[in-house]
Amino acid sequence: MMVLISGRFLQRLPDREVELSRQGDYVMWGPGVVHAWRAIEDSVMMTVRWPSV
């Protein structure tokens, strides 16, 4: 899961592209899902991975 703290960010997943533009916007995907991202402007993101070790 990725949560936008500030800025604008684009997350690409196999079936969609998600633009995060408002503080608190988030996107989730499961394990093994190929993904890519691009910062549209300077951005601060929080990434949460689970389960974790």
Side-chain angles (χ1 to χ4, degrees):
M1 175 170 92
M2 292 182 72
V3 180
L4 181 69
I5 305 302
S6 64
R8 284 180 59 209
F9 201 83
L10 183 67
Q11 180 74 31
R12 291 187 183 113
L13 300 165
D15 61 341
R16 66 184 193 254
E17 286 189 351
V18 179
E19 183 177 331
L20 308 171
S21 59
R22 295 181 311 182
Q23 186 177 24
D25 282 354
Y26 68 93
V27 61
M28 295 177 60
W29 63 94
V33 174
V34 175
H35 58 282
W37 53 265
R38 180 172 61 92
I40 298 170
E41 58 186 49
D42 287 346
S43 300
V44 176
M45 303 296 298
M46 177 177 65
T47 301
V48 179
R49 295 179 65 170
W50 72 91
S52 184
V53 292

